[in-house]
Amino acid sequence: MAIDNHCSRENYYPDHKVLNDDVHGHVKLDLYTFDMIDTVQFQRLRDLKQLGASYFIFTGGSHNRFEHSIGVSHLAGVLIERFQRDQPELRITNNEVKCVKLAGLCHDLGHGPYSHVFDNQVMPRARPGLDWSHEQASEMMLEYLIDDNNVDIERDEVNLIKDLIAGTPRSKSQYDERCFLFDIVANKRNSVDVDKFDYIERDAQNLGLRTSYDTKRLLMYSRVVNNEICYHHKEVYNLYEMFHTRYSLFKRIYTHRVAEAVELMLTDAMIYAGITSAVNNPEEYLHLTDDILRVIERSKANELAKSRSIMKRLRTRDLYKFVDEFLLPPELASHINKNTITEAEIVSYQSDNDNLTEDDVIVKWVKINYAMKDRNPVDSIRFYSKFNNQESFTIPKQQVSFMIPQQFEEVAVRVFTRDVHRITAVQKAFRRLLKHIVPNSSDAEPHAALTLPNDYTEILLTKRRRSLSSNSADSNEIVKKWHDQSENNGN
């Protein structure tokens, strides 16, 4: 992302800087956004991978929350400035435009190391019962940014920015007629917002994936009707495509089995390192980024030995292993829950002499949906027609296509092990438990493609020994060549 700083007297954009973004092209950002960008609190986002642990699997996923946040600010500005220009009856003020742009810019200030790994896995395990989210941390870091850098901004502007990030106004009476403003950055009504517009397009592009939905059409064919952002009726399938693309990214990338194994290792390493106390102190939280893993690895402290050991395994690709998966049928959802399938329950179904312990097993529940749990988000979107853009309506899915899914959320139970030697024993124990829970259901039949051969553990260990032996031989050969070259040069 290159910055073009116009400094000449003939400056066409005296109140802007122009950035060349790899997704959105040349974008203009107001100078007041750089009051936020050029701070240590915002620059911290350069050290937070947008895709978290997925970067360990997908080499293209190296982009950071820094550029995503700038992209969201840009798209938020594009949308609200078009409303301001095309719908003057809305009386959108320049102050509201400013706050919407800054909300887009600052919405991810509070993410922790490896993004959602920290708030979805580390914090619930390390600080159970604590009411904490990265959105709350974003508010904390925003206040710290403003105070630490003496940013010239009014208190009512700060409060509005916080509410726009949260997606709901705290003073409802004050914004009864401005609810559409809260649909732009974090839409709680139907989940269509510029945050999704940017991360779906940015993630797909960096990963080399093609998408079939068009963000630019949604930005263009939208307007405010009855205090709500609505879309042209011909964009209904485009919106379904957006939610399907998001689902596909979750299915293929964000919840990739090996990426989740890495997430579990990162979670263990961070919990053993005891880093979560920093969430209450913005000055400490400022330094809590992906770099914390390098801090752990460099440390010689005895109390970090366990975390260092996990990091050594991660660096040498000695990962926790995915064992098995059960895709939960909807009719069994009321029968099977997190209390039914646990590490302790799986261990209780082990064979004699397996010697499994609860620490050998990890159970992870994975939910993937269209962004509104088990509901169809398009049912909550309102549309206008080319014949009347002053009235809005919903479009039932049967008027769009009979190929649209009937179900909008799936739940999978995944099992992992920390010890490769235990993988076969854990899988057999898990399948015995499933057979006990749902003895007469064909849905509980073992997944043939995931069934491990009896000698699978030995196969894995043999492959690893060969890999280590090969690496060692290569290293010795390199050292020998270097040594021979040095002697020849000396002669």
Side-chain angles (χ1 to χ4, degrees), residues 149-161:
N149 299 280
N150 298 313
V151 176
D152 184 15
I153 189 170
E154 299 297 325
R155 173 46 52 183
D156 61 337
E157 293 177 327
V158 176
N159 291 338
L160 177 55
I161 291 168

Side-chain angles (χ1 to χ4, degrees), residues 101-112:
K101 289 181 178 180
L102 291 179
L105 188 73
C106 298
H107 78 286
D108 274 352
L109 281 179
H111 266 293

